[in-house]
Amino acid sequence: MTPSPIAAFSRIGEENAFAVLARATQLMREGKDVINLGIGQPDFPTPPNIVEAAIKALRDGHHGYTPANGILPLREGVAADLHRRFGLSVSPEEVMIVPGGKVTMFMVILMFGEPGAEILYPDPGFPIYRSMIEFTGATPIPVPVREENGFAFSAEETLSLITPRTRLLIVNSPANPTGGVTPKAEVDKLVKGLAERPRVAILSDEIYDQMVYDGEEHVCLLSYPEIRDRTILLNGWSKTYAMTGWRLGYSVWPGRLYEAARKLAVNSFSCVNAPAQWAALEALTGPQDAVASMAAEFDRRRKAVVAGLNALPGVSCATPKGAFYAFPNVSQTKWKAKALASALLEDAGIATIGGPDFGVFGEGYIRLSYANSLENIERALGRMRDFLERKNAA
Ligand code: PLP
């Protein structure tokens, strides 16, 4: 009989977006017309200059291992990009190249999670935070993210949840699944409180930092010297450059933690795919017009999706200020959120994700990714209207 893995594997979770993607793909294979507003990935191709850089790297013979922390020109490129965008002074020795944004959260949570430790994470939030916290045996402490607060996190509520056992705080702005952006004044308040709690490490997930709308400004947590020595920045290429399948991310680590992260890299993935790293360098140093035009297109769709959702019976949708998600409140329909998401897929051919897949505070909401064409978004909204009218009448 095959032996079982250790008990921790009974606690590890999932990202239901992948299960919804699999089901949507299966339905499409059966000939159904499914509009996919489920998975969170840009529908644009990777810009051609980036693709060409990867091909060139292969032709130039970049076929071998690279240093585990990434090639130096790319780490320099990340440091220069953070300087260009936020005026930050980051050393390439603090930058680590990893296979996807997810890998940074995996490493950080492994570093701070153990039985007896508490880790604070946003709820609703990216499901892997909680999954990994539980895997380590640490206690997950959800920090509620509230619609009445524009889906920004509350500094006061976050700080009130910190105890002597808190080892790590995870923050995410712009946020998945809500699209919430936390204003600078609130971030300032949080940092002020954290400055008085020096034992707490901070993981700042800023993977959507170039997707902010309505004149909002992204605040990078590395800009605060008072917490810099215990802040880890998570970022990457997946969303900004439409490169989800390339598996490319980076993190910035304070010196003491860098070595631990590098060892995790050596013990697991060795290094990121070499041509992908050269493509990532082209992404940062080449023309940035594609980033701006993708964000402008997301903005157009955001407006359409919010207006359309607010016109549906029983649905209200706060205007998301970032990322490419809308998180409408569906509590006034007669559906529980997960049942609604499932019925929308099976009955109306629209893939969405139920709010509870992002945590208990996600009940009453569903997530729509508007990384799909305006035409498909309009079609999906029309189908949702038909569905809700039909079912509410039933
Ligand atoms: N962080 C957040 C908040 C995300 O939404 C995602 C992906 O959906 C990630 C991290 C992971 O990104 P990657 O695909 O680069 O691993």
Side-chain angles (χ1 to χ4, degrees):
M1 198 174 75
T2 312
S4 318
I6 60 165
F9 282 88
S10 65
R11 299 191 301 264
I12 200 163
E14 264 276 21
E15 199 187 335
N16 202 31
F18 282 98
V20 172
L21 179 64
R23 178 69 186 141
T25 309
Q26 185 192 349
L27 287 170
M28 284 191 268
R29 241 186 252 125
E30 290 166 11
K32 301 234 167 63
D33 173 22
V34 177
I35 304 167
N36 194 351
L37 307 183
I39 196 87
Q41 68 176 339
D43 54 318
F44 305 106
T46 304
N49 60 312
I50 301 175
V51 174
E52 288 306 320
I55 294 167
K56 179 172 184 311
L58 282 171
R59 295 220 163 98
D60 289 350
H62 293 289
H63 303 170
Y65 292 124
T66 78
N69 54 345
I71 55 172
L72 180 60
L74 182 54
R75 287 184 288 115
E76 288 171 341
V78 168
D81 182 62
L82 290 170
H83 184 264
R84 174 180 67 83
R85 295 193 295 121
F86 305 115
L88 288 171
S89 160
V90 168
S91 156
E93 305 310 312
E94 296 172 289
V95 177
M96 179 144 331
I97 310 302
V98 288
K102 230 177 214 176
V103 176
T104 300
M105 71 184 75
F106 186 83
M107 288 179 163
V108 176
I109 297 169
L110 277 186
M111 259 179 230
F112 291 99
E114 62 180 344
E118 292 177 355
I119 299 183
L120 274 56
Y121 70 100
D123 181 340
F126 192 55
I128 301 306
Y129 304 143
R130 186 184 173 103
S131 162
M132 276 305 297
I133 297 167
E134 293 196 312
F135 181 69
T136 66
T139 307
I141 309 287
V143 179
V145 179
R146 300 179 192 279
E147 182 180 359
E148 57 267 31
N149 205 22
F151 292 121
F153 58 73
S154 149
E156 194 182 334
E157 191 165 19
T158 306
L159 293 168
S160 76
L161 292 167
I162 294 178
T163 75
R165 290 177 299 283
T166 308
R167 299 291 304 280
L168 175 68
L169 164 67
I170 303 173
V171 290
N172 172 219
S173 176
N176 178 8
T178 60
V181 172
T182 303
K184 181 169 185 306
E186 200 65 21
V187 180
D188 289 350
K189 224 173 14 165
L190 179 73
V191 170
K192 194 154 174 273
L194 287 172
E196 291 158 14
R197 294 161 173 88
R199 283 169 44 84
V200 180
I202 302 127
L203 167 62
S204 186
D205 183 342
E206 302 184 16
I207 198 129
Y208 298 101
D209 68 348
Q210 301 211 50
M211 288 160 194
V212 284
Y213 316 109
D214 294 342
E216 289 286 332
E217 208 178 312
H218 176 71
V219 188
C220 180
L221 235 65
L222 290 185
S223 324
Y224 294 86
E226 52 278 54
I227 55 165
R228 178 72 196 269
D229 63 349
R230 54 202 159 94
T231 301
I232 301 112
L233 172 69
L234 178 162
N235 209 326
W237 287 263
S238 297
K239 318 287 175 173
T240 311
Y241 296 98
M243 296 178 79
T244 50
W246 294 67
R247 309 314 299 139
L248 266 171
Y250 70 81
S251 20
V252 179
W253 302 80
R256 257 179 314 136
L257 300 177
Y258 191 88
E259 197 45 21
R262 195 191 59 78
K263 282 189 180 157
L264 278 177
V266 171
N267 276 272
S268 50
F269 56 85
S270 293
C271 65
V272 171
N273 169 311
Q277 292 192 56
W278 290 99
L281 179 60
E282 170 62 21
L284 295 181
T285 54
Q288 299 297 302
D289 342 0
V291 175
S293 60
M294 284 191 275
E297 182 57 27
F298 286 136
D299 191 14
R300 254 191 300 280
R301 298 168 182 184
R302 176 183 70 111
K303 289 175 179 143
V305 89
V306 170
L309 286 167
N310 277 315
L312 296 180
V315 178
S316 65
C317 185
T319 302
K321 302 280 185 175
F324 41 61
Y325 305 111
F327 204 58
N329 186 325
V330 295
S331 59
Q332 299 307 308
T333 66
K334 60 181 191 185
W335 294 82
K336 287 288 222 187
K338 273 185 74 94
L340 177 61
S342 167
L344 283 172
L345 178 57
E346 301 296 331
D347 192 324
I350 312 160
T352 65
I353 316 282
D357 283 335
F358 302 96
V360 289
F361 291 95
E363 184 51 79
Y365 300 87
I366 60 172
R367 188 191 81 173
L368 277 73
S369 158
Y370 50 82
N372 205 323
S373 68
L374 210 45
E375 186 197 343
N376 278 340
I377 288 168
E378 298 290 2
R379 280 203 307 137
L381 288 165
R383 285 189 194 180
M384 271 179 89
R385 167 172 294 284
D386 291 347
F387 173 88
L388 287 169
E389 285 175 354
R390 192 157 32 92
K391 295 290 172 180
N392 276 341

